[in-house]
Amino acid sequence: MSSSAAPVQATTLENCDREPIHIPGSIQSHGVLLAVDASGVVRHASSNAQDLLGHAVQPGDALRDSALVAQQPGLGELLDEGLAALGAAADLPMPTELEAAGHSFDVVLHQSHDLLVMEFEARQASSDELTGFAVQAHRAMEKLRRPRASIDDLLQLATQELRALTGFNRVMAYRFRPDSSGDVVAESRADFLDSYLGRRYPASDIPAQARALYVANTLRLIADVRAEPVQLQQQAGGKPLDLSAAILRSVSPIHIEYLNNMGVGASMSISIVINNRLWGLLACHHMGPRQVPYSVRMACDVMAQMLGANIQAALARKQAERQQQVAELRTRVMESVLHSDDEFAALCSHATALAASMHADAIIVSEHSKLCLEGGIPDTAARALLHWLDTTQDGSALYATHALPLEAPGIAVQMAPWCGVLALPLDRNRGSWLVFLRKEQIETIHWGGKPEKEVRPGPLGPRLTPRGSFDLWKEIVRSTAEQWAADDLEIARQLLAELVRAQNARHAELNNARAHLMAVLGHDLRDPLHSISMAARVLEKNNGTDGSTGRLGQRIQSSSSRMQRLVSQVMDMSRLQSRLGLDLRPTTIDLVQLLADLMDEARTAHPGLQLVAHLPDSLRAEADPDRIAQVFANLISNARHHGDAGHPVEVHAHGTPAGPVVQVRNVAPAIAPEVAADLFTPFKASSVGKARNRSGLGLGLYIAHQIVQGHGGSIGYAHEAPHVVFTVHLPLRPPGATDHSLA
């Protein structure tokens, strides 16, 4: 018992990307298809077997016992060979010829799951004609073997040879873009046809599942676009037959409508597959029906494979040349970075060469507020982009876009005409970026018809339909740059990995040297400083008649005290970097008394300093008195150094349910955001060379932060005009109060 293939849902442009084109339930009308199981029983049969082969074949028939095989002994032998190969998972027999009902057929076998599929394709050319085709195909292949100046020249030759071999009115070579749209880059056509060379076709013209079939089955012939498909009959309850590998598979109604709209009567497409991806297509169009013999098509397929191999070799050569050039440049850059004392300057010295290697129009090298700009990008635009990157990117991976105005409209005006960005985060903590830029590429696209879908009545009713016109339609595209290719991104990743490795090695070396220097300084300077301090006190007590000796002693005492503070900071830093901790010993203290004593010391040391206290009568805290005094002494000293002259430094304290809060306030402009981000970082560049604190190393706030954190509290900066405010929050009880160390 048999039935026709199960009906499928009507296909429209809304669902064509999900259309099951591999199980259409029908074949093209110029051949017959039979599918048999391992026992030789027919499971699927096209309904035209009687018309073309002269014998009806029905699902459920034993093919060996059929009249078709009885009159064609060679067909029985082919069936046996095919079934034997099917069971043993061996290679199926090669295509063969068959004479039936006064017609010649090419018989092609393939396997579909557990079924043997036999396709009988009617042959229209004689054997003598096919011999001529073979000679012509051989000559074409010899031409394709010869080296060409460019890939486009190779594709142009291929279109000419294919058209001469197959007789199609037009043969085009498509090259696909990263967005899956395709450009016609070569063409051979009859004189009466308009040229499609240079036109682009949208990705929607070839849905995803069709692309997958183009890779799996590299040649596809539609012999007569207007011919009615022939239904496949199958046993009731059977599964639809998978025709992915079938040469006779019928055509999607959407694609038929598409070809009709182009005025095409027959088509053949040959895939150019490189690295298992659809790189391009050779598309053949004829204005009327045209059936190319199977053997000629196989020759065309071999030509396309040879073409793909040549293109792949050309691309590989080009890629290898670029990789070698980039590797040599990367080696020079890394040598400069590793052997230079200034990594920023080393990168800047190679900025122009790096930009050229990435095919970029400009480059930004940044470190903190320092910028190196090449290529004409303004300073304001560069800083706007870097701020956007700092605030929107996680800083752990490179960022790439070819359409920055669409992704960051807030900075689009400042960035014009720069649209392509490839940003490498070198060191997020230091604000270091290496950014490549490409300018806007104002492009006029010559579409093969307006690419948007349109709603109008088609053969399948009112719905979204394929384009009705393929006349030239121009579109101007702005706000985009040339896309970053896969090679560009891989080169950028390699460069980023090398620079990060170099940075890590440099930081490890510097940290080791710094820790060793700190330990040496702390150990070797403490004893002589103590001696100097004692001598200064003796001079103070033995003051001369004019007081000069006492003043000299005070000056020595002040200088030695400052040096002792620096040595203490160095020792603390050494302990922190060595993970020895700051050895906190919390006890109950009165913060008000501690702050009052610190302010008295500051007034004595700096008679011109105005200090204003806003303190309660008493404020208890659980803290290490020496270490917490170090925090507030540092904040008061900071306020004195950086506050506006003539305005007092204010110290506020109060209690909260969560614990004590202390603020140190001074009148000063707001700290720049890029500096504020690193306030509690050691050895920050913004702390070195300050006119009002030339001896600063940038350690004070870092150590204060570590001490407060060790107590389980927090320290933060804010600007409450006109005051710069540092706020310390301490908990009611430090974590692990019985543990006296801060790891």
Side-chain angles (χ1 to χ4, degrees):
M1 184 175 181
S2 67
S3 68
S4 296
V8 296
Q9 178 187 4
T11 303
T12 69
L13 278 189
E14 290 108 322
N15 64 19
C16 69
D17 61 339
R18 301 183 300 278
E19 180 188 2
I21 59 176
H22 62 297
I23 51 170
S26 58
I27 63 170
Q28 297 183 60
S29 61
H30 62 282
V32 175
L33 184 145
L34 306 175
V36 300
D37 60 19
S39 62
V41 175
V42 177
R43 298 299 181 188
H44 303 266
S46 60
S47 58
N48 60 347
Q50 175 73 51
D51 296 336
L52 291 186
L53 299 178
H55 299 280
V57 180
Q58 299 291 332
D61 293 349
L63 188 58
R64 282 193 189 88
D65 302 333
S66 67
L68 176 64
V69 172
Q71 294 189 8
Q72 300 290 335
L75 182 58
E77 295 174 5
L78 183 65
L79 174 63
D80 291 338
E81 291 177 18
L83 292 176
L86 184 67
D91 290 337
L92 292 169
M94 296 293 292
T96 188
E97 300 178 18
L98 175 73
E99 295 291 333
H103 298 288
S104 296
F105 293 90
D106 289 306
V107 185
V108 182
L109 277 63
H110 73 270
Q111 184 172 344
S112 178
H113 300 292
D114 56 349
L115 299 179
L116 176 68
V117 178
M118 307 179 72
E119 295 182 84
F120 303 79
E121 184 180 47
R123 178 188 289 179
Q124 295 183 346
S126 67
S127 298
D128 292 340
E129 288 176 312
L130 292 179
T131 301
F133 279 128
V135 173
Q136 193 173 355
H138 183 267
R139 289 175 179 170
M141 291 179 194
E142 285 298 319
K143 291 180 182 180
L144 287 173
R145 283 196 183 97
R146 300 170 193 167
R148 296 285 155 180
S150 69
I151 290 175
D152 285 353
D153 290 341
L154 191 63
L155 291 169
Q156 182 60 42
L157 174 64
T159 61
Q160 293 167 357
E161 294 300 321
L162 274 177
R163 181 164 171 254
L165 184 62
T166 61
F168 278 97
N169 295 141
R170 185 199 307 273
V171 178
M172 299 175 289
Y174 285 90
R175 182 171 184 170
F176 292 117
R177 290 173 172 260
D179 64 358
S180 296
S181 64
D183 294 297
V184 179
V185 295
E187 179 186 51
S188 178
R189 59 183 173 83
D191 292 339
F192 64 87
L193 294 175
D194 293 334
S195 175
Y196 285 173
L197 187 64
R199 298 192 189 180
R200 187 180 302 177
Y201 292 82
S204 58
D205 279 10
I206 307 178
Q209 79 278 33
R211 289 175 180 275
L213 281 181
Y214 276 126
V215 174
N217 200 353
T218 53
L219 190 143
R220 171 75 160 145
L221 172 69
I222 303 172
D224 188 350
V225 170
R226 296 169 183 85
E228 288 294 324
V230 176
Q231 291 298 309
L232 282 178
Q233 297 174 316
Q234 66 182 45
Q235 286 189 314
K239 294 181 179 179
L241 180 63
D242 187 339
L243 297 177
S244 296
I247 61 175
L248 292 172
R249 174 167 50 87
S250 65
V251 189
S252 160
I254 287 291
H255 190 54
I256 291 292
E257 189 176 346
Y258 178 91
L259 293 173
N260 275 319
N261 287 345
M262 293 187 77
V264 172
S267 77
M268 186 172 76
S269 58
I270 313 171
S271 307
I272 303 174
V273 179
I274 295 178
N275 294 326
N276 295 318
R277 297 190 65 180
L278 188 62
W279 182 90
L281 274 179
L282 295 169
C284 310
H285 287 170
H286 205 68
M287 299 306 104
R290 185 163 193 81
Q291 185 181 336
V292 179
Y294 179 77
S295 57
V296 176
R297 301 204 307 272
M298 293 306 98
C300 294
D301 199 18
V302 172
M303 287 174 58
Q305 292 177 32
M306 183 183 301
L307 177 65
N310 288 345
I311 291 172
Q312 185 171 357
L315 292 173
R317 281 194 304 271
K318 186 176 180 180
Q319 184 181 20
E321 290 172 1
R322 185 183 181 194
Q323 289 284 359
Q324 181 178 357
Q325 294 171 354
V326 169
E328 292 172 355
L329 173 60
R330 191 166 59 241
T331 298
R332 294 196 300 272
V333 171
M334 299 317 301
E335 286 177 352
S336 297
V337 169
L338 289 171
H339 296 127
S340 172
D341 292 332
D342 188 341
E343 179 184 334
F344 174 76
L347 278 177
C348 290
S349 67
H350 294 282
T352 302
L354 284 169
S357 73
M358 296 301 299
H359 303 154
D361 301 308
I363 187 172
I364 303 170
V365 185
S366 74
E367 183 181 283
H368 285 303
S369 58
K370 294 188 295 184
L371 289 183
C372 170
L373 307 176
E374 295 288 344
I377 181 169
D379 182 273
T380 53
R383 293 189 185 278
L385 175 62
L386 291 170
H387 177 70
W388 182 82
L389 289 170
D390 280 330
T391 53
T392 61
Q393 305 305 308
D394 63 10
S396 61
L398 60 84
Y399 166 77
T401 181
H402 71 289
L404 183 68
L406 305 181
E407 296 194 22
I411 60 171
V413 174
Q414 291 169 281
M415 285 300 298
W418 309 96
C419 295
V421 177
L422 178 54
L424 285 62
L426 303 182
D427 189 335
R428 187 62 178 271
N429 293 328
R430 297 165 59 201
S432 297
W433 290 87
L434 182 61
V435 184
F436 299 96
L437 299 168
R438 285 177 177 171
K439 286 185 176 180
E440 179 182 35
Q441 188 180 59
I442 302 175
E443 184 180 18
T444 301
I445 301 177
H446 292 176
W447 291 102
K450 191 173 181 179
E452 283 81 3
K453 303 168 185 177
E454 55 188 76
V455 178
R456 62 177 176 79
L460 303 180
R463 57 179 178 79
L464 282 168
T465 62
R467 300 192 304 281
S469 171
F470 287 81
D471 293 336
L472 179 64
W473 189 82
K474 296 182 181 181
E475 178 187 13
I476 297 178
V477 177
R478 306 190 67 111
S479 299
T480 62
E482 179 186 352
Q483 288 193 10
W484 302 101
D487 284 354
D488 297 328
L489 299 178
E490 182 57 30
I491 289 169
R493 289 188 189 98
Q494 292 174 359
L495 177 60
L496 177 59
E498 292 281 355
L499 288 171
V500 169
R501 276 196 292 270
Q503 280 185 340
N504 291 339
R506 175 185 290 275
H507 290 169
E509 183 180 347
L510 287 175
N511 286 337
N512 289 335
R514 187 180 293 152
H516 181 68
L517 176 62
M518 288 175 182
V520 170
L521 285 175
H523 181 271
D524 292 354
L525 288 180
R526 270 198 163 160
D527 286 345
L529 280 174
H530 182 68
S531 299
I532 292 172
S533 180
M534 293 299 293
R537 291 179 184 174
V538 171
L539 285 174
E540 272 189 272
K541 291 179 180 178
N542 298 329
N543 195 5
T545 56
D546 59 355
S548 58
T549 306
R551 287 194 298 274
L552 180 60
Q554 287 177 352
R555 187 172 300 171
I556 295 173
Q557 177 69 27
S558 174
S559 297
S560 64
S561 295
R562 185 166 64 251
M563 292 177 70
Q564 283 177 331
R565 285 196 302 274
L566 291 175
V567 169
S568 294
Q569 288 182 350
V570 167
M571 289 295 289
D572 287 343
M573 186 67 188
S574 179
R575 290 181 64 87
L576 287 169
Q577 292 202 332
S578 302
R579 301 186 183 276
L580 296 177
L582 291 176
D583 193 25
L584 297 181
R585 298 179 181 275
T587 186
T588 302
I589 62 172
D590 184 356
L591 277 180
V592 171
Q593 186 60 50
L594 183 144
L595 291 169
D597 291 344
L598 288 174
M599 287 187 283
D600 284 342
E601 290 178 11
R603 292 189 189 98
T604 302
H606 306 283
L609 175 62
Q610 299 180 58
L611 273 170
V612 177
H614 300 273
L615 307 175
D617 294 335
S618 178
L619 186 58
R620 296 291 174 181
E622 288 285 329
D624 183 316
D626 293 332
R627 287 299 187 183
I628 214 69
Q630 191 176 346
V631 171
F632 295 123
N634 181 277
L635 293 180
I636 292 170
S637 176
N638 245 30
R640 179 179 62 82
H641 280 300
H642 302 292
D644 288 354
H647 294 278
V649 173
E650 301 178 14
V651 180
H652 298 248
H654 64 275
T656 71
V661 176
V662 180
Q663 288 187 335
V664 178
R665 309 166 69 96
N666 61 274
V667 175
I671 299 173
E674 62 271 17
V675 177
D678 289 334
L679 275 177
F680 302 107
T681 302
F683 300 108
K684 46 193 174 289
S686 59
S687 295
V688 179
K690 283 284 187 180
R692 299 176 66 179
N693 187 20
R694 295 187 181 278
S695 61
L697 295 176
L699 297 180
L701 286 177
Y702 169 71
I703 294 171
H705 180 261
Q706 295 295 312
I707 292 171
V708 173
Q709 271 198 334
H711 281 81
S714 64
I715 182 171
Y717 153 79
H719 188 260
E720 299 174 6
H723 290 96
V724 165
V725 182
F726 281 88
T727 304
V728 175
H729 293 264
L730 293 173
L732 292 173
R733 181 173 175 80
T738 57
D739 183 0
H740 293 159
S741 66
L742 170 62

